[in-house]
Each structure stands twice: as C-alpha cells, then as structure tokens.
Amino acid sequence: MTYQETTEYLFSQLPQFEKEGASGYKPGLERVETLLQLCGSPHKQLTTLHIAGSNGKGSSSTMLAATLAESGLRVGLFTSPHLVDFRERIRINGEMVSEEFVVQFVEMIRQKMPPELSPTFFELTTALAFAYFAKEQVDIAVIEVGMGGRLDSTNVIQPLVSLITNVSMDHAQYLGNTLPLIAGEKAGIIKPHTPVVLSRSSEKEVTDVVVAKAKELQAPLTLADREEEILMYQSLKIGYKVTTAHFGTFTLPLEGEYQIENLGGVLQVLLLLRTKGYEIEDTALHQGLQRLSHYGLRGRLEVIQQINPTIVIDTGHNPDAWQHLAPTLQQWQKEGGLVMLIGMAGDKDVPHVVTQFPLEAHYIFCQAHTPRALPATELQALAKAVGVTHSEVIPDIHEAYKVAIQRAKELGAETLFVGGSNYVIGELLTH
C-alpha cells in the first residue's frame, strides 16, 4: 500500500471515535494488549510519562516533551487528535513518524491480526506509536491519554510519573455524568507506588477522588497548585512572564491563564524527574517553551495572522475550556471588536459552551465535514437563545473563513477568532 492508501484504511476501515462518536468508542484494554503482543510488546521496552485530564493534556505533554528534548534526550510524543496529517500524533524530538514506518507497521499488523479482533483506530494507532518509539530507542516517551484514563488504550504502560491536568464535565456520556465519576476514570492512570501530579485541585469533589485513589495505591501525590513553585506571573502581549522557585524567570508564550495552571503541573513533573536522576537545566525549560510549535503544539490561542485582522485559532471545545477562553474573548471584543467563526461537535455540551460566548461579537457559524458535527443552524439557534444578536450561517468552513475576514474588515473588528472544534481548525489548516 501507499501511505495514502494506508491512512485511508485507518480512517475508513477502523471504528474511529473522532469521526463517528459512540460507534467508534470501545473502552477496555484487551484489544490493544493483543495488538501489542503481536508486535513484540514494545510498550514494555519504554520509559514513559502518562498524561490525562479534561483539558490541557496536549499543552502539558508538549511542554514536557520539549523540555526533555532540549535537555539532550531522545523524546517520543504521542498525542491526539491530529489537525492536518495523521503523523502529527507520533513524534520524536518534534519530527513526525515517517510515512514508510506507518505503511510497514500497518501492513505487518494486518497480516498478523486475527479477523475477530476488530481494533479501533485509536487502539491501532497506540500500538503503532509504541512500536515506533521502541524501534527508535527513545530515552523517554510522553504519552497523552485519548479519553478518560482507566480504560484508555494507553493505560497499558507503567510510567515514571503520571500527570492529571484537571477534571471537568467532558465526554460525560462515556465517562460518567458527575465530576467524581469522571475523576475516577482519569485517576485510573495512577499506578501503585508511582508518583502522580494533579495540576488543578480547586474542585474538592475531584481532588477527594484523586487523593483516595493515590492513597489506595500508595502513589505519592503532588497537588501542583498548592505548591509554591510559581512565585509570580504577569501578562505580556502574547503569553506571560513567569518567575519560579526552581526554574528561574522565563516567558511562557501561550495565551490564556489556564496555561499557568498547566505549567504548574509540568514543573512538578520535571522536579520529580530531577529526583530520579534526570539532568534538566533551567535553560532547557526556557528554550523548550519557546519552541513548542516545533514540537507539535498548535491551536492554543495561536495567532496565524498578526493584523488586518489579527486571526487567532483555538481547539477548545468544552465548557471548562470556554470558561477560560471567555475573559480573553470579552477583552478582545471590548478593545477592538471581534468576529467569531465557530463550529462544534454535536456530542459536546454545546448549550453550556454558548453561555460563554461574548454576546456583542459578530458570529459566523460553520459545520465541519464529519458526522459528529452539530448543524450550523442548530448552533446558531442555541447562540440566539443566550442573547447572541449578530450572526449568520455559512456551513462550508473555507467559504465561512473568507466571509469572516471580509466581515472583520467591514465592521472594523481587530480580531477574528476561529474555534469550537478540532475539526474546524483541522479543515482550516488543511488549506
């Protein structure tokens, strides 16, 4: 097979949650364990970090991978979803897995795989990532959970440290309809006698679950936001100037105050790695944070055009993410006017997300080419119900993007924000 034929097989022949929703979600570790046995149990050859959480997994994983790579290590990074190219999910020191390896692995596993196994897209991708990292003999691999934790395909590893960024009401139909239930699924990555860090402990009902699980497994627990590591931070035009207890003063070039929370968890993981003998210089962190895009981080309040209008993209897609986005968007609306190009997945908590929309902005609602997409007309109706008064529907993302730029110029709005879904950002970046 060619690379294109291989990815078409992955996308079309295997159940894919990101495309199909519930029909593509098969919780449990049996299938991935069988796949891994078929390719020599590569996960058992790896030294890993494991990252779970409702939001901030990708940012935290990339911060860790970038810092460790800048420390001179060979670092694997497994994240999801991809925005443009499947290979974005699997990187070593920022470089994507080769097309050749993807083709060879898929051909090999298809020949060995019993017909009744029927793995999901994510299960086969997880096995592919572990096999690649083992073959390339990475020093350490940073592994981001796909969904939940306890029954996620990645939960076959025995990490050096586990990190749970935060817990909010996301994927409730799969993980449970209360915060404690979802927290229990995230806490499923905690392993016996293995250090675990929780980035945000402000929700007592979440923290109680994580504390209880860590105690049960005798896993040393660090509540990052209760440590006095981040001494102070101040806003810059883009990002923050941060002063810390153990890593000096540096710039975090990511927008959104939630990134300070993510950084707090990352710093505690790095401190734990130092106690395990890893030589992580302050400058490695400083340099790594400046090169996050090289290591694969996209779509976190990312500025893709500076002026006329400033265009910012973000993949935040649940109420917790939008709660953190809202103050920034309100500020942009107040300071210079704002056009919002928004599309969302229908299985997200859209009614709660729209309550975070800045009401005075001009909206263009679109619809990604996926069965999971919420029809743009329905999104507009939900937005109108909470008080949005200026909106139009243009389902096609590329046409909507052209019109959004035109509207920003017509209205004199300084900022165009594009977001609501990984699919929207992925389709936009594809062109």
Side-chain angles (χ1 to χ4, degrees), residues 147-174:
M147 189 203 301
R150 182 175 65 92
L151 298 176
D152 186 76
S153 304
T154 62
N155 204 27
V156 294
I157 57 177
Q158 299 292 325
L160 276 181
V161 182
S162 303
L163 170 63
I164 301 170
T165 58
N166 53 58
V167 177
S168 66
M169 292 298 293
D170 192 24
H171 297 303
Q173 65 271 54
Y174 308 108

Side-chain angles (χ1 to χ4, degrees), residues 81-138:
H82 65 274
L83 293 176
V84 178
D85 187 333
F86 168 78
R87 298 181 302 135
E88 294 168 29
R89 296 167 178 259
I90 304 166
R91 298 173 182 265
I92 295 176
N93 286 21
E95 297 300 319
M96 296 188 294
V97 60
S98 68
E99 294 184 359
E100 182 183 24
F101 184 87
V102 174
V103 171
Q104 290 175 349
F105 178 87
V106 172
E107 285 182 344
M108 177 274 293
I109 206 72
R110 286 183 71 184
Q111 290 171 9
K112 292 187 175 183
M113 198 165 61
E116 68 276 11
L117 184 60
S118 186
T120 66
F121 169 88
F122 189 72
E123 287 166 342
L124 195 140
T125 303
T126 301
L128 193 162
F130 291 160
Y132 183 62
F133 295 153
K135 174 182 174 288
E136 295 295 320
Q137 298 181 321
V138 298

Side-chain angles (χ1 to χ4, degrees), residues 302-428:
E302 178 185 351
V303 179
I304 61 170
Q305 179 173 300
Q306 292 287 347
I307 56 170
N308 195 31
T310 299
I311 301 176
V312 182
I313 61 174
D314 192 273
T315 56
H317 52 258
N318 58 30
D320 190 61
W322 273 82
Q323 187 176 344
H324 288 90
L325 274 172
T328 302
L329 297 173
Q330 295 281 8
Q331 190 68 20
W332 290 342
Q333 169 60 37
K334 184 178 176 183
E335 289 178 350
L338 178 65
V339 171
M340 304 271 289
L341 173 54
I342 304 291
M344 295 200 69
D347 55 3
K348 295 296 178 184
D349 189 357
V350 182
H352 279 94
V353 168
V354 297
T355 64
Q356 305 293 334
F357 283 0
L359 300 182
E360 299 304 314
H362 182 88
Y363 286 81
I364 298 175
F365 295 110
C366 63
Q367 188 174 328
H369 290 88
T370 169
R372 286 179 65 201
L374 181 70
T377 50
E378 291 185 28
L379 181 54
Q380 183 188 45
L382 288 167
K384 283 184 175 179
V386 299
V388 167
T389 55
H390 308 292
S391 68
E392 54 193 301
V393 168
I394 303 175
D396 181 75
I397 288 168
H398 306 296
E399 182 62 28
Y401 182 64
K402 292 176 190 173
V403 172
I405 293 173
Q406 184 181 331
R407 290 289 180 273
K409 292 177 179 177
E410 290 170 356
L411 297 168
E414 291 182 4
T415 306
L416 166 60
F417 174 86
V418 186
S421 166
N422 285 297
Y423 304 113
V424 169
I425 302 304
E427 284 191 31
L428 183 66

Side-chain angles (χ1 to χ4, degrees), residues 30 230 258 294:
E30 305 83 8
I230 296 179
Y258 58 92
H294 168 77

Side-chain angles (χ1 to χ4, degrees), residues 283-310:
T283 52
L285 171 68
H286 305 173
Q287 292 165 1
L289 293 177
Q290 299 310 309
R291 303 188 68 213
L292 290 173
S293 59
H294 168 77
Y295 290 102
L297 191 65
R298 300 291 312 269
R300 273 69 172 184
L301 282 177
E302 178 185 351
V303 179
I304 61 170
Q305 179 173 300
Q306 292 287 347
I307 56 170
N308 195 31
T310 299

Side-chain angles (χ1 to χ4, degrees), residues 24-262:
Y25 175 59
K26 296 183 184 179
L29 305 179
E30 305 83 8
R31 289 171 303 279
V32 74
E33 285 173 339
T34 300
L35 284 173
L36 289 165
Q37 287 171 6
L38 293 175
C39 52
S41 299
H43 59 304
K44 295 182 179 178
Q45 304 168 38
L46 299 174
T47 300
T48 58
L49 303 175
H50 204 188
I51 290 83
S54 299
N55 292 297
K57 296 191 299 290
S59 298
S60 299
S61 296
T62 310
M63 286 188 219
L64 285 166
T67 302
L68 293 169
E70 294 292 331
S71 296
L73 298 174
R74 189 163 168 76
V75 184
L77 175 62
F78 178 50
T79 59
S80 59
H82 65 274
L83 293 176
V84 178
D85 187 333
F86 168 78
R87 298 181 302 135
E88 294 168 29
R89 296 167 178 259
I90 304 166
R91 298 173 182 265
I92 295 176
N93 286 21
E95 297 300 319
M96 296 188 294
V97 60
S98 68
E99 294 184 359
E100 182 183 24
F101 184 87
V102 174
V103 171
Q104 290 175 349
F105 178 87
V106 172
E107 285 182 344
M108 177 274 293
I109 206 72
R110 286 183 71 184
Q111 290 171 9
K112 292 187 175 183
M113 198 165 61
E116 68 276 11
L117 184 60
S118 186
T120 66
F121 169 88
F122 189 72
E123 287 166 342
L124 195 140
T125 303
T126 301
L128 193 162
F130 291 160
Y132 183 62
F133 295 153
K135 174 182 174 288
E136 295 295 320
Q137 298 181 321
V138 298
D139 297 309
I140 192 167
V142 181
I143 307 298
E144 179 194 353
V145 165
M147 189 203 301
R150 182 175 65 92
L151 298 176
D152 186 76
S153 304
T154 62
N155 204 27
V156 294
I157 57 177
Q158 299 292 325
L160 276 181
V161 182
S162 303
L163 170 63
I164 301 170
T165 58
N166 53 58
V167 177
S168 66
M169 292 298 293
D170 192 24
H171 297 303
Q173 65 271 54
Y174 308 108
L175 304 179
N177 58 6
T178 68
L179 276 179
L181 286 174
I182 296 173
E185 293 300 312
K186 308 288 185 189
I189 71 164
I190 300 174
K191 302 296 190 298
H193 310 288
T194 301
V196 57
V197 174
L198 178 63
S199 298
R200 185 173 81 207
S201 67
S202 53
E203 295 97 347
K204 184 177 185 300
E205 53 190 333
V206 167
T207 305
D208 287 350
V209 171
V210 175
V211 167
K213 189 65 175 180
K215 188 175 182 181
E216 174 194 335
L217 297 176
Q218 298 182 330
L221 171 63
T222 302
L223 303 178
D225 52 355
R226 302 188 192 182
E227 298 290 319
E228 295 183 358
E229 179 57 37
I230 296 179
L231 303 176
M232 62 177 291
Y233 63 93
Q234 64 184 84
S235 292
L236 304 172
K237 185 170 183 182
I238 296 290
Y240 301 89
K241 182 180 179 182
V242 183
T243 301
T244 64
H246 293 94
F247 297 91
T249 299
F250 52 86
T251 300
L252 174 64
L254 295 175
E255 270 297 320
E257 209 154 350
Y258 58 92
Q259 294 292 3
I260 296 293
E261 177 186 287
N262 292 333

